[in-house]
Amino acid sequence: MAKVPSSVIAASGLVGGYGVARWTKKRQLGGVVLAVAGAAAAQRWHKEAGPKAAGALGAAYVAAFAGSHPLAKKIGAWPSVFGVAGAVALASWAIADRRA
């Protein structure tokens, strides 16, 4: 079975977390999706790139989540979520997935 890249896991967590929260109207459920995907991506980052890279990418993941909120006020919710998810995916690929 093919291994799912950490960049895909991280981006899916951000997009999926928002989507679940929006469609179910339960923010906590979206938070669970966000957290589970973040933890899965962090494990992969740690394995592929080491603890320092995993810490930096984890911080980027959290910052992307937090930063998507004020950005959404300027460009809209979905464009904001897709933008930050793309940024985290690119960073994840460059730091961890490209090596694999």
Side-chain angles (χ1 to χ4, degrees):
M1 184 162 88
K3 184 169 69 167
V4 178
S6 63
S7 55
V8 172
I9 296 169
S12 296
L14 290 161
V15 173
Y18 175 69
V20 166
R22 181 171 178 146
W23 290 317
T24 64
K25 297 188 179 11
K26 297 190 185 311
R27 293 179 70 171
Q28 298 87 350
L29 193 55
V32 169
V33 172
L34 181 78
V36 168
Q43 285 182 329
R44 186 70 55 80
W45 293 328
H46 190 274
K47 179 181 175 190
E48 299 294 336
K52 287 183 182 178
L57 288 167
Y61 186 79
V62 172
F65 168 70
S68 69
H69 292 83
L71 184 60
K73 293 179 191 232
K74 296 182 186 292
I75 66 172
W78 280 111
S80 172
V81 170
F82 285 129
V84 300
V88 168
L90 180 61
S92 180
W93 176 82
I95 295 170
D97 295 339
R98 184 173 55 165
R99 298 176 183 196

